[in-house]
Amino acid sequence: MTSLRPAQEEIVNYAGGRMGISAVPGSGKTYTLSWLAARLIEQADLFDDQEVLIVTLVNSAVDNFSTRISGFLRDKGLIPNLGYRVRTLHGLAHDIVRERPDLVGLSDHFTIVDERESQEIMDAAVASWLRIHPEFITDWSAPDVDLNSSHYTQKHWIDLVDSLARSFIRQAKDLQLLPADLQRLMQDINEPHPLLQLGLEIYTDYQRSLNYRSAVDFSDLIRLALLALQSDPDYQRRLHYRWPYILEDEAQDSSSLQEQILRSLVGLDGNWVRVGDPNQAIYETFTTASPRFLRDFLREPDVAARNLPNSGRSTRSIIHLANSLIEWTNAAHPVPELRDALTRPYIQPTPPGDPQPNPPDDPNGIFIMPQGYEAEKEIESVAISLKRWLPEHSDWTVAVLTSRNERGAKIVEELKKRDIPYVELLQSSQSTRSTADILAACLRSLADPGSATKLQDVLKRLGRIAAGDDKAMVNYYRGAVALLDRCPRLEDYLAPLPDSDWLAALPSDQVADEVRQILADFRDRIVRWQKASLLPVDQLLLTISQELFTNAPDLALAHKLALLLERAAANHPEWQLIEFAEELSSVARNERKLPGFSEEDTGFDPDRYKGKVVVATLHKAKGLEWDRVYLLSANNYDFPSAQPYDNYISEKWFVRDRLNLEAEALARLKALADGDLEGVYIEDGPATRAARLEYSSERLRVLYVGITRARRELVVTWNTGRRGDSQQALPILALQSGWKGNV
């Protein structure tokens, strides 16, 4: 075993009661908590039917804890897999409900819908609601938005209503409110707000579909676990006895329901250790989690508050930069409400003689770019830097971190174009996006058969598949596209009369036989696909795919995409090919996850990919570290600071008054639950402004997470955005004076 630092030693000597631990990035909290679990199993005189319960955030952490604890127990001469249980919150909730489903009105054979099935149910509920309420989009659209001329805008609205409804349902379940409860609360309201009505009606439809399947979703599982504990005090006491020690990891991401479940299991006299870093609470936007639960716990009078302040992950300069962000936020942020977004303790380097010493310090290893790039130029600049840097650092790990999956996909495309080896940690893989992209192009062309531009677009993409790295074939396809561009009438190419065949009339001495054959084969394909366009869209997609792809992975992806469109067709019977093409394009742009084709988080080890560029979102990067990190898009759109000139991703351009509809709906839902009628009837706008503060606070923490992923070198760049009006993020501007450099 590695020796412990003094702060770690104090924690593993814990004997009982309640203890809260603030652990800085790289402080070894998993190692410390695992050691504590092993020591308790060895020394706490547990009975055979008792266990130490460890609750963590993701499945990869379950495996990590189990492996470490087993190793420590083996070193102590104990049986490695006895005396403890490691669960995610969902896993724990499942254990509680599965043991006594009768307490919450479920049969012994209840099922849990996965993400894919939950999304299918939600898609159907949203589509049904929008068909009944077409006026909703009109009423809430910005005055200058032309809804009749843009399928793209309609698709945006469907996605927004889906996201709004999902957030509403998640929050309602966190408040332990079922549709019937909301209906009862709304009886006293004369004219319910349209957003409340939307949430209630879609929630009712969604929950009815779950009940029809005798199923629950993951949010139900947590809600029902608490209900089971509250319904039967004897059951609660049995579980309290079974788990006399509860160790909670990643407590900064705890939700109200999670805290209530664990408090119920711990009881008034139980033993509870909560470990987390409030500065790394970055999931509030997507979940009902909040760092305030851990912060409040640390201030409770019967809680022993401890710190894990030492970290050997990063150089002293990178540590100083992260600490400077905390200091600036606390003391100098221009918005007082944001000054508690980050909190102490500061990160401290490891002491002399520590088994995990900090990397040798190099202040020149931090590069904060003062000038902003155009959006595409930023990606190009980073790729050029990597191309130059990688050959001399093949034994280093390196990552490019970005805020959104779509941006990550563009980075991957640039790396691939420059033959730079890469690994993806994004919402969908490059192969998925490529498959979706070419199939979307085919549907766009079939939807508009008179468009020469769309037809050429399909041929270009076919050329990339067929030619591969064959330079001669690449040139032949380019020649075919150029010839097609000069075709005066598409019908003379696709459906020629005997005396007007454009392809046959091309001079043989001016057109290579290979080019002529490419155009002939392409015409045959397009004609077959046009005839097949009368088929249901999923069958059409499979027909096209069988001609385009030959290897099993691509065909499997195409089948998955066909199922996606089949479901969309059932939910939107009015859709034409252009809408289905846009659905595929959303996958190709990495805006939508394709269920079943992203690997579950089963543990990612950056050290396995030395000499390759890992492309990840900042959220995916949490818990990981690399020798060199590129942090992109550090502008006031990705990292706003509640300034008058900031823009916010949740305030959609197509919504009137740039309202954040999710924030407006959730604020009214919480007011309804609290019996606050004034909050229910409040005018539109205040909730949007409050959400700006919450989001800006979270983005400061996301920035902190990004900085602390770097071991030895950190490169921070920013771009001026799609419209060219974005500015450097305010916190980066504040930190910049200490570090100058060039990529």
Side-chain angles (χ1 to χ4, degrees), residues 428-444:
S428 63
S429 69
Q430 202 274 337
S431 61
T432 299
R433 296 192 298 272
S434 296
T435 302
D437 179 63
I438 188 169
L439 291 172
C442 292
L443 293 191
R444 279 194 296 270

Side-chain angles (χ1 to χ4, degrees), residues 30 33-34 37-38 41 51-70 73 80-93 95 243 245-249:
T30 302
L33 211 58
S34 299
I41 294 166
E51 298 171 319
V52 175
L53 174 64
I54 300 97
V55 181
T56 188
L57 188 64
V58 294
N59 287 322
S60 61
V62 172
D63 297 336
N64 194 2
F65 271 112
S66 297
T67 300
R68 286 180 181 270
I69 295 170
S70 293
L73 291 176
N81 296 312
L82 292 180
Y84 68 95
R85 181 183 306 208
V86 187
R87 290 288 187 269
T88 63
L89 177 63
H90 291 113
L92 174 62
D95 289 348
W243 298 314
Y245 293 91
I246 295 180
L247 313 182
E248 181 187 1
D249 181 38

